[in-house]
Amino acid sequence: MATEMLAYIDRKSFIHELSGATKLIIFIMWSSIAMLTYDTRILLFLFIFSIVIFKISKIKIREIGFVLLFILAFLLLNNIAIYIFSPQEGVKIYGTSHVLFEIAGRYNLTLEQFFYQTNITLKYFAVIPAALLFVVTTHPSEFAASLNKIGVNYKIAYSVSLALRYIPDIQRDFRTIAQAQQARGIDLSSKEKLFKRVKNATSIVLPLILSSLDRIDTISNAMELRAFGKKKKRTWYSERGFKQKDYVTIVIGAIILVVSLIITFYDGSRFYNPFM
Amino acid sequence: MKKPVIHFENFTFKYDSQKEPTIHDINLTIYEGEKVLIVGPSGSGKSTLGHCLNGLIPFSFKGDIKGSLTVKRQETKDLNIFSLSKMVGTVLQDPDGQFIGLTVGEDIAFALENDATTKEVMHEKVIDISKLVKMEEYLDASVHALSGGQRQRVALGGVLVEQVDILLFDEPLANLDPATGRHAISLIDELQQALNCTVVIIEHRLEDVLDQDVDRIIVMDKGRIVSDTTPNELLASDILEKSFIREPLYITALKYANCELTPTKELEHIEKLKVDTYKAPLQHWYEYATFEKHIQDRSPVLEVKDVTFSYGDKVPTLKNISFTIQKGEMISIVGKNGAGKSTLSKLICGFERDHRGNVVFEGKDITNDTIRERAEKIGMVMQNPNHMISKHMIFDEVALGLVMRGYPEKEIKKRVEKTLQICGLYPYRNWPISALSFGQRKRVTIASILVLNPEVIILDEPTAGQDFYHYTQIMEFLVELNKQGITIIMVTHDMHLMLEYTPRSIVLADGELLADDASVNVLSDEELVEAANLKQTSLFELARRADIDEPTEFVARFISFDKEVRKIGNRNVSVH
Amino acid sequence: MEKGLSIKTIVAIGIGSAVFVILGRFVSIPTGIPNTSIETAYAFLALMSVVFGPIAGLLIGLIGHALKDAVFYGSIWWSWVIVSAFVGLFIGFFANRINIQSGVFASKQILIFNIAQAVVQAIGWFLIAPALDVLIYAEPANKVFVQGVIAGISNIITVGVIGTILLVSYAKTRNKSDSLSVE
Ligand SMILES: Nc1ncnc2c1ncn2[C@@H]1O[C@H](COP(=O)(O)OP(=O)(O)OP(=O)(O)O)[C@@H](O)[C@H]1O
Ligand SMILES: Nc1ncnc2c1ncn2[C@@H]1O[C@H](COP(=O)(O)OP(=O)(O)OP(=O)(O)O)[C@@H](O)[C@H]1O
Ligand SMILES: [Mg+2]
Ligand SMILES: [Mg+2]
């Protein structure tokens, strides 16, 4: 029952060959556009463009299928929730109301609401491929180096790489502890009453935390002994130097960023309004 | 004239949190190019001494220092941990904590990265070093794909990049299988030849370290140096017994046979041992030492039938394992690191599920029983006690299982106190667990399993990292349980433990069952020993060299004799 | 002698984030109320902020939550990641006056801790989270507010109960009770 998690997928592709820092920068730009804009045209462009990039990366859909399913389910629920809470949000935003078909009073489906919710969904679709790609095409060892390169303090960057290094170990500890406690009669299944389950959960969380605190001591001793933090700066064994393609990519990314922001705020509103 | 590199002078250290000093007026000089072994019971201050050398004391662990310690003529107090780490390279006990990088290359490069070495230089160096520690093929391998032995070699590489001139090892052999341990020791030796550096090794497994020559052995007890001499001198003396350190088995055997032990006899190594004058007494002892076999016929309690299992999608960790365990047996599971011993134990307890094949308990198939149901019959004591302990007070910890099963207050109290008595923990029943030593914690976890009266107990490496005193304590305690009819299964890397306590053993290697046979036969089968990374104890060699026709019989007699002696508690029982 | 973050803190951040990821993914107990569950991860976050200070709290919240979203759900919900960071930072900030290392975590400290965590989380979940959701995703205010309130309440309770238990147990492991006598 090893639960799946996204991890680096090794391929020979243009995306893989880019430096981690480049990908990080692009990812940040990409996310910020998608967060700021609400302009349907741009969102559509981002979405289609990221599909193309996805193709280039030679990553197969089924390799990340499990997260896609999760995300789709999430979006569905989210849309329903939005509709229940505020079925006329679209009308509020776009200022017109074209009723598509009657349901009941304020729950009448309007074109505006439909358009608005499509945009929300699109907003997710515009970033998700980029995020996924970033995770599966950047080697964890390179990640810390990249963070450092874009200006994050190297100590903090290193703590990220420590996290990536020890997630599998902690997960293994967690399983072992859970098993040991179950053997002693602690029931983790949903059969128990809520309060009982909380109590039981702590009997697993506590050993996990205490053993992790021990881990922190050993690791910091080991790092101390190997002169971590000796100098102001630090080099990285698995850093990947910038090549021409990196510069090109970043420039393109920057252009997209600027242009889309201009288009977005050109008319003073982040919403693209087809209704007037 | 030998040049001193490490020099302790009336050195005393006390941890801030302790009332008493942990090490008392140490006077010790270690010379350039020497190889020194430090032994001593657990808690005697070995690691603390090591911390003083590599600078963790006083830079990381606070406390008060009296006296002086100089490394290469510089007072360590005046240095900082960085400049010390350039002189003293430390390989810590726990390879997992030490392996910080995501890949082999990264981890070896760690110190260089911190020194802001340019990438080109770094990569060259890493390649050279990885050749030195024989890991050049694995540079891009991730931690999780490496065996315990390989991780340790990487750790070694990681300190060698600094071109240190002193290498410090704290229990380099802990939880390595016998063969891997042997390789580790010989690698250390090669490196010392190649780099002519000074080597300090802290280790419980004296005999395994002596596999390669050692210049001096320091014996510590209660924070003091009780002996500082050559291996030959030490082995001829009775210091080791006095401070509860297991001497090499062949030495014990010679003592039992009342042989006159003198340093001139090359005692330090069984191969070199001048055995001729010892032959007569050994054979004499062999004649007289008796050995009673008691084999009663039994009924099967646990059957593992053609079990195959894999974690996730990987290649199977266990392949078609089948064996049967008889009621009241005491049996060991041995084999390579990563062979699947712990996994097998977990399968038997139902920790890991969806495997092929079945597990049968007293004729009833329990393959589909839950962990909890199985726990009533089969108890499992994990490799690492900290994975089991979830309460603050000993009493509550041991009681947990019963509380969970909703037993009445009174009965719980009765059963817990009884169990605590059996485990020799009753006096501590109101202590917080955080105040216990590793060995005591291990016993707490055993108690917490025992209190549920299982019919079978599985212990994963019950004696790893324990000194001889606690080793004996734990094992004799298990023997007591076994006498009360509880079946005991042990996963272990200790070949003598396997011979001494478990008549039969199951041998795993790379997920396959290589043998299921009497322990003595297992160790007398050269190929098997080779294939499963096991190691013959020196008793076999001694018997051969003393021209005793039946080495296995010799071992058997030694063991039963040894048990007697240890019960009586003095070595002077003669066989005349 | 060395300024900035100590090695211990760095490692605490790294390991802390890893534990946050695992707890967040495997030890969240559904309450029965739709899409709200008891997130033990926040109890742990609170512990770490108290023990290792605000900066550690901030970064564990940030890195831990971002990594969790990234590796398990393939996309990062920044609005809530930021709140985790905020909670970690300010619990650590207010808990400064609790000297946990001394081993005393009695009713007084428990009170301080719980007031701090309740206030900080209330601000985080009731105000910041919804605000960011509206800002970034232009989601309906009432919807995100209700979500925030539910999450906030359940997290305040979680930290109040489990977090307190954790801190008490942690404090116990600190005090070297030399007064232990063999009975
Ligand atoms: N960081 C610490 N703070 C306080 N006391 C400590 C610390 N580390 C060790 N001690 C105490 O110092 C004593 C010696 O510990 P040390 O680890 O040096 O023993 P050791 O000889 O290495 O034992 P082992 O063989 O089990 O590793 C022990 O009683 C231990 O409780
Ligand atoms: N929880 C887990 N998830 C994935 N793989 C695992 C897990 N536990 C163990 N393994 C792998 O299964 C193999 C067998 O591991 P196991 O711990 O059973 O070996 P072992 O015989 O106990 O080794 P050792 O003697 O070092 O304890 C190893 O390759 C290990 O990496
Ligand atoms: Mg030690
Ligand atoms: Mg094991």
Side-chain angles (χ1 to χ4, degrees), chain B residues 15-18 22-23 40-49 51 61-62 93 170-171 202 204 220 438 465-467, chain C residues 176:
Chain B
Y15 288 101
D16 277 344
S17 55
Q18 295 278 336
T22 294
I23 50 177
S42 91
S44 59
K46 303 184 297 295
S47 300
T48 306
L49 197 71
H51 294 337
F61 299 111
K62 299 297 170 209
Q93 172 174 336
D170 193 343
E171 306 206 19
I202 298 171
H204 282 291
M220 291 193 70
F438 186 89
Q466 308 272 339
D467 62 25
Chain C
K176 298 251 180 302

Side-chain angles (χ1 to χ4, degrees), chain B residues 7-280:
Chain B
H7 183 64
F8 287 90
E9 202 168 329
N10 308 335
F11 187 91
T12 297
F13 175 77
K14 175 182 118 16
Y15 288 101
D16 277 344
S17 55
Q18 295 278 336
K19 274 210 235 100
E20 291 301 307
T22 294
I23 50 177
H24 304 272
D25 46 39
I26 302 291
N27 286 295
L28 172 64
T29 311
I30 295 173
Y31 299 94
E32 196 166 39
E34 253 192 326
K35 186 196 217 173
V36 175
L37 169 61
I38 301 178
V39 296
S42 91
S44 59
K46 303 184 297 295
S47 300
T48 306
L49 197 71
H51 294 337
C52 297
L53 278 180
N54 59 31
L56 282 179
I57 291 174
F59 300 112
S60 177
F61 299 111
K62 299 297 170 209
D64 359 330
I65 296 176
K66 293 195 191 60
S68 101
L69 163 59
T70 58
V71 174
K72 298 178 77 186
R73 297 215 157 72
Q74 304 167 59
E75 188 63 42
T76 50
K77 282 189 238 98
D78 314 337
L79 299 168
N80 63 30
I81 192 155
F82 298 138
S83 42
L84 255 171
S85 71
K86 278 225 168 290
M87 300 190 279
V88 185
T90 315
V91 177
L92 297 167
Q93 172 174 336
D94 155 19
D96 242 17
Q98 176 130 58
F99 200 131
I100 323 163
L102 278 147
T103 65
V104 171
E106 258 178 277
D107 192 66
I108 295 180
F110 187 73
L112 299 172
E113 294 180 321
N114 298 330
D115 217 353
T117 319
T118 63
K119 244 182 100 205
E120 297 64 32
V121 182
M122 186 148 52
H123 279 260
E124 279 171 24
K125 266 213 174 129
V126 167
I127 289 169
D128 299 345
I129 295 292
S130 62
K131 290 205 181 95
L132 213 52
V133 294
K134 306 190 175 62
M135 288 296 290
E136 66 268 37
E137 277 103 38
Y138 298 88
L139 280 181
D140 298 332
S142 96
V143 216
H144 306 285
L146 300 179
S147 75
Q150 291 172 317
R151 286 183 189 194
Q152 193 164 44
R153 274 186 270 152
V154 176
L156 187 48
V159 303
L160 286 176
V161 285
E162 287 270 37
Q163 279 142 352
V164 293
D165 13 34
I166 302 166
L167 281 176
L168 171 67
F169 298 85
D170 193 343
E171 306 206 19
L173 301 183
N175 43 49
L176 290 186
D177 67 51
T180 311
R182 186 179 225 152
H183 294 142
I185 286 297
S186 56
L187 177 62
I188 293 174
D189 205 60
E190 285 173 34
L191 288 175
Q192 186 177 25
Q193 309 304 339
L195 313 169
N196 58 51
C197 48
T198 312
V199 172
V200 179
I201 303 176
I202 298 171
E203 184 52 66
H204 282 291
R205 286 156 67 176
L206 174 59
E207 180 166 1
D208 294 341
V209 179
L210 288 181
D211 210 51
Q212 299 287 342
D213 294 348
V214 170
D215 298 311
R216 264 195 303 160
I217 301 181
I218 314 291
V219 181
M220 291 193 70
D221 198 358
K222 303 194 181 61
R224 298 175 189 279
I225 292 181
V226 294
S227 156
D228 170 0
T229 173
T230 65
N232 284 328
E233 293 287 348
L234 180 66
L235 293 176
S237 74
D238 62 353
I239 296 163
L240 290 174
E241 286 168 48
K242 284 223 191 74
S243 39
F244 296 110
I245 299 161
R246 165 182 280 167
E247 40 190 21
L249 291 161
Y250 60 93
I251 297 291
T252 317
L254 290 172
K255 288 185 175 174
Y256 287 167
N258 296 343
C259 297
E260 178 65 25
L261 293 185
T262 55
T264 55
K265 295 279 194 215
E266 296 292 348
L267 301 171
E268 66 184 298
H269 203 296
I270 179 74
E271 311 286 343
K272 300 205 208 106
L273 181 69
K274 298 211 178 67
V275 80
D276 19 10
T277 56
Y278 294 147
K279 281 181 182 171

Side-chain angles (χ1 to χ4, degrees), chain B residues 342 383 460-461:
Chain B
S342 301
Q383 205 159 343
D460 202 343
E461 312 204 0

Side-chain angles (χ1 to χ4, degrees), chain A residues 172 175, chain B residues 144 311 314 317 336-343 383 461 493:
Chain A
R172 203 178 277 196
R175 287 195 60 198
Chain B
H144 306 285
Y311 289 102
K314 283 195 262 65
T317 306
K336 277 188 187 156
N337 289 114
K341 303 182 294 297
S342 301
T343 307
Q383 205 159 343
E461 312 204 0
H493 286 307

